[in-house]
Amino acid sequence: MFPVRMPTLGGAVFSHSLQSGGQFANDVIGMVARGDMRSTGSITGDLAAQSLQSYMGHTALGASAAEKVSFSQVEIGGGRITGREVTPEHPQGIEFAMYHVDQYSRPEGDYQKVFSADGAAWYKQHAVDTVVKTPFKAPDGEIDYQKEIVKRLPTPPKRKDRM
């Protein structure tokens, strides 16, 4: 028989705060989101998707706001948040990446500046149409390319501490 692990008081407080979009959970999420992954780690999986709902303020706005946006495949940490977002504009979902303004330079291409529940500013980019060329040998022996349009995230901006 395996011992039953009891949740910690801090874990229970975080969980309750997360479910209501509370400040405690958002402060913890923000510390991980902006922190160094070597010391604060990252948040992944279902907990990351729930955390991002809270951190972006959707949970606090109630069920109707949370139904308009959902997240999956989320990873939070190191000044970066990535994942897949489903919205009325993108019902099939689209990849996104967010970069903390204080830690990353301004991205190239289209982006928007968004603010999390703790007031932190983030650059947000969505995947864009990109042409992928795959080489093949044509019947006449020449090299040709098969072209395909796929959605990919733009090249990430540079970290300010590495410039």
Side-chain angles (χ1 to χ4, degrees), residues 20-64:
S20 64
Q23 183 176 345
F24 178 76
N26 289 331
D27 287 347
V28 171
I29 297 162
M31 285 178 18
V32 173
R34 294 183 311 271
D36 183 332
M37 288 183 69
R38 293 173 294 203
S39 58
T40 61
S42 64
I43 306 172
T44 59
D46 290 340
L47 180 59
Q50 276 184 292
S51 295
L52 189 54
Q53 279 285 71
S54 179
Y55 190 56
M56 295 312 296
H58 302 299
T59 303
L61 294 175
S64 63

Side-chain angles (χ1 to χ4, degrees), residues 8 10 13 18 22 40 44 56 58-59 68 82 86 92 101 116 126 129 138 143 145 153 161 163:
T8 64
V13 170
L18 181 63
T40 61
T44 59
M56 295 312 296
H58 302 299
T59 303
K68 292 179 184 171
T82 59
V86 174
Q92 303 303 316
V101 168
S116 51
H126 287 99
D129 287 342
I143 301 296
Y145 295 90
L153 285 170
D161 63 350
M163 294 174 75

Side-chain angles (χ1 to χ4, degrees), residues 42-105:
S42 64
I43 306 172
T44 59
D46 290 340
L47 180 59
Q50 276 184 292
S51 295
L52 189 54
Q53 279 285 71
S54 179
Y55 190 56
M56 295 312 296
H58 302 299
T59 303
L61 294 175
S64 63
E67 290 173 5
K68 292 179 184 171
V69 178
S70 65
F71 300 103
S72 63
Q73 302 168 12
V74 175
E75 183 172 358
I76 300 171
R80 197 174 73 140
I81 301 171
T82 59
R84 189 162 187 81
E85 176 180 61
V86 174
T87 64
E89 183 182 348
H90 300 285
Q92 303 303 316
I94 187 167
E95 287 184 80
F96 73 92
M98 294 173 28
Y99 307 95
H100 191 257
V101 168
D102 292 344
Q103 294 171 275
Y104 283 85
S105 62

